[in-house]
Amino acid sequence: MLTFVAGALAVSGAVVAPGVASAEAAVKPVNWQPCPGAPTVDCGSVEVPVDWANPAGEKIQIGLARRKAKDPAKRIGAVLMDPGGPGGSGVASVKGSEQFTEAVRARFDQVGFDPRGINTSSKLLCDSELASKATAARHPTSQADFDQLASLNRQLHDSCRANSGKLAEHVDNLNTVRDMDAIRAALGEQKLTYVGYSYGSVMGQQYAEKFPHRVRALVLDGNMDHSMNTAWDFMRSETAPVEQAFIEFAKWCDTTAKCALYGQDTKKVYAELRAKAKAGTLVGPNGKVDFYQLSSYAFGTTRPAQWGTVATALRGLRDGAATDGAVTTLAGPVANIPYPSIWCSDWRYPVRDYAEYQQLRDRLDKRFPNVQWTPYVEHALTCVNSGTKTTNPQRRLDIKGAPPLVMIGNIHDPATVYEWNVTAARQSGARLITYEGWGHTAYRQSGPSPCVNVAVDEYLINLKPPRWGLTCPATEVPGGTGLDARELQQPETGPYLAG
């Protein structure tokens, strides 16, 4: 989720991809002003068509935030960034903190952008009560429940269309890619330097397809696989790293004296809790704990630093002394809720009815007998009967004529899973840096791996890509105990926001 910044309008002579009109002539330079609440950071915007097929039609705004290069005399340009989502705010990221390493901050302006529909850009507005109800309905147990989910999805997406006008039908990633090129031109950059995290990886992948000759350097950290077509492959691949994390956690617990479940067969303890949760007989201090609430503890094992906390929480739940966490809901009748419309514009995972959904869940139970589920699998139900057209459906990457690209994949990433990174790198020809550790994404100022940071810095600054097959060792230490059970890692509102 990094971006680039410049000052003046792009010069003539920029190399233009074949068959793609230049954006320079149509885009004004950014009028930077101090950001509200962050006077040391600049804010601005770029005006773009709501429908790029009709560039003279209705316009929307794309919000930007910039931190200037720390060493102006050695400034290379601007690096554009996006933190993921869909729904993540690059403006909030850059306003809130430094995004990159000291070496990159010295040589580049850091520019974050809000993709169309999000935060300081022209907003997607949807009914927040319907959003809460649709999310809560994504655990159907009958055809009637499935029908209710379908009805709520349609009502929610109808509300987005009613409150957002044409924007709701023009938020796919292909439009965002065109917006990114307009940003490049407004920043005065002949070529784009970009760091995209998580969902922002799709933006970089498809930018390289559309504008290969306008790429200077692309770093895509935590890649999605936009060629995956079936709901089963999506659910299976998302659940696999959580199952593996739980197995590693159980091994650690069963062999580590400081674990609260040491010597008690961790898998068996969790299986007994899971059976009670499914039967409706598992009770915590705040009432009944269902299977999905219990699953938040299993998901917490994707961070080794939380293993001690998870074990303590599970023991307490077994012994009647655990908390089951707080539940948050959306507030207000209409809110900026970009995720449903963007997700359904970019992905199509048909699930026809409850029987098919139950078959998928049965397969997950058999394939992953410990965790059986992860919160991410339910994103496959977001678009059931939504009425939102998938205008950017899944397909293989086809990048021709771009310079070397760099991707980063974490072996134990529970969100943008490692196999997705391998597929995206293979299809694009990118150099894949493998981080052998945990968590979601790796390259950042406070990232877990100096090995990753050094390789990416060398690429961004000197355009020297890492060697093929570079792997960086894990740095995480299992068994942290500093978190309350309520703070166990859970997914963000959008599925792939960088952590």
Side-chain angles (χ1 to χ4, degrees):
M1 305 142 230
L2 305 171
T3 228
F4 47 95
V5 109
L9 193 61
V11 299
S12 60
V15 180
V16 178
V20 178
S22 173
E24 277 77 355
V27 180
K28 297 178 182 179
V30 181
N31 178 22
W32 295 109
Q33 300 293 331
C35 293
T40 61
V41 182
D42 299 325
C43 281
S45 64
V46 173
E47 186 177 80
V48 298
V50 67
D51 180 1
W52 276 98
N54 180 22
E58 180 182 344
K59 300 298 193 294
I60 58 173
Q61 299 296 316
I62 304 298
L64 305 172
R66 174 184 70 173
R67 290 178 181 264
K68 291 184 179 180
K70 301 298 187 290
D71 188 348
K74 295 183 179 180
R75 178 183 178 277
I76 294 172
V79 55
L80 185 67
M81 68 82 62
D82 178 85
S89 170
V91 168
S93 296
V94 168
K95 282 179 64 176
S97 65
E98 302 281 2
Q99 293 299 298
F100 305 113
T101 63
E102 184 176 352
V104 169
R105 298 199 308 269
R107 307 294 298 277
F108 291 90
D109 298 342
Q110 304 167 70
V111 179
F113 82 106
D114 287 337
R116 51 175 56 206
I118 296 168
N119 194 27
T120 63
S121 294
S122 297
K123 291 180 174 63
L124 267 167
L125 299 174
C126 308
D127 186 302
S128 59
E129 184 176 343
L130 285 171
S132 294
K133 289 180 177 179
T135 299
R138 288 190 294 181
H139 306 145
T141 59
S142 67
Q143 184 60 45
D145 287 351
F146 191 90
D147 292 342
Q148 176 70 0
L149 168 66
S151 175
L152 287 167
N153 278 347
R154 178 57 65 94
Q155 293 176 62
L156 171 60
H157 284 254
D158 283 348
S159 81
C160 300
R161 289 183 277 268
N163 288 291
S164 308
K166 292 181 180 179
L167 179 61
E169 301 289 352
H170 294 89
V171 290
D172 67 28
N173 192 64
L174 299 178
N175 279 288
T176 297
V177 161
R178 298 293 300 268
D179 297 343
M180 291 167 63
D181 199 54
I183 295 169
R184 173 199 60 77
L187 294 175
E189 299 289 309
Q190 291 191 35
K191 295 188 176 184
L192 177 66
T193 303
Y194 173 72
V195 178
Y197 297 90
S198 199
Y199 208 85
S201 70
V202 186
M203 301 173 193
Q205 292 170 13
Q206 294 194 315
Y207 186 93
E209 284 188 307
K210 183 72 173 178
F211 303 108
H213 301 292
R214 293 182 188 166
V215 172
R216 177 186 174 273
L218 296 185
V219 175
L220 308 179
D221 189 357
N223 283 265
M224 299 193 70
D225 174 8
H226 199 244
S227 67
M228 186 176 296
N229 284 313
T230 71
W232 166 247
D233 281 335
F234 178 77
M235 292 179 172
R236 172 200 56 77
S237 59
E238 287 281 58
T239 310
V242 183
E243 175 78 3
Q244 186 59 44
F246 183 87
I247 291 171
E248 295 296 324
F249 157 72
K251 289 179 182 177
W252 175 83
C253 249
D254 292 344
T255 58
T256 304
K258 69 177 181 178
C259 176
L261 295 175
Y262 176 65
Q264 299 172 57
D265 192 340
T266 304
K267 288 183 181 179
K268 181 180 179 182
V269 170
Y270 188 78
E272 291 171 350
L273 291 172
R274 187 183 65 235
K276 289 182 178 180
K278 287 186 172 184
T281 61
L282 184 61
V283 179
N286 299 322
K288 287 188 176 181
V289 179
D290 67 17
F291 168 74
Y292 300 101
Q293 291 171 306
L294 179 66
S295 292
S296 69
Y297 296 102
F299 193 86
T301 66
T302 61
R303 294 272 189 183
Q306 297 180 358
W307 284 359
T309 300
V310 173
T312 300
L314 291 177
R315 184 182 66 180
L317 188 58
R318 181 195 62 189
D319 297 341
T323 62
D324 57 1
V327 178
T328 58
T329 57
L330 295 167
V334 175
N336 182 204
I337 305 173
Y339 157 65
S341 298
I342 296 175
W343 180 261
C344 297
S345 296
D346 285 337
W347 307 88
R348 181 188 296 128
Y349 290 122
V351 181
R352 292 184 298 270
D353 52 26
Y354 174 72
E356 183 175 4
Y357 171 73
Q358 187 58 55
Q359 182 183 51
L360 291 166
R361 291 295 301 272
D362 289 344
R363 292 178 71 183
L364 288 178
D365 289 355
K366 293 177 181 177
R367 186 75 169 264
F368 309 109
N370 292 291
V371 300
Q372 302 182 354
W373 181 82
T374 166
Y376 290 125
V377 306
E378 303 302 357
H379 294 294
L381 299 182
T382 299
C383 308
V384 172
N385 194 43
S386 70
T388 294
K389 184 178 180 181
T390 308
T391 50
N392 180 30
Q394 298 100 298
R395 56 179 174 76
R396 290 177 57 87
L397 283 171
D398 184 17
I399 299 173
K400 294 183 174 68
L405 312 180
V406 171
M407 294 181 175
I408 307 166
N410 295 5
I411 289 287
H412 298 287
D413 190 331
T416 51
V417 301
Y418 183 68
E419 70 173 82
W420 295 359
N421 289 270
V422 172
T423 299
R426 183 176 65 248
Q427 291 178 4
S428 66
R431 306 285 180 95
L432 176 62
I433 301 173
T434 296
Y435 174 54
E436 296 177 330
W438 303 73
H440 180 40
T441 74
Y443 176 68
R444 52 189 175 272
Q445 173 184 260
S446 58
S449 173
C451 168
V452 170
N453 284 0
V454 168
V456 173
D457 286 355
E458 182 70 9
Y459 171 67
L460 288 174
I461 295 170
N462 298 315
L463 296 180
K464 181 180 178 181
R467 62 176 174 81
W468 291 101
L470 175 63
T471 62
C472 294
T475 61
E476 293 84 4
V477 178
T481 57
L483 296 176
D484 183 86
R486 297 173 187 270
E487 299 178 277
L488 295 176
Q489 182 196 5
Q490 303 227 19
E492 303 282 356
T493 301
Y496 304 111
L497 290 174

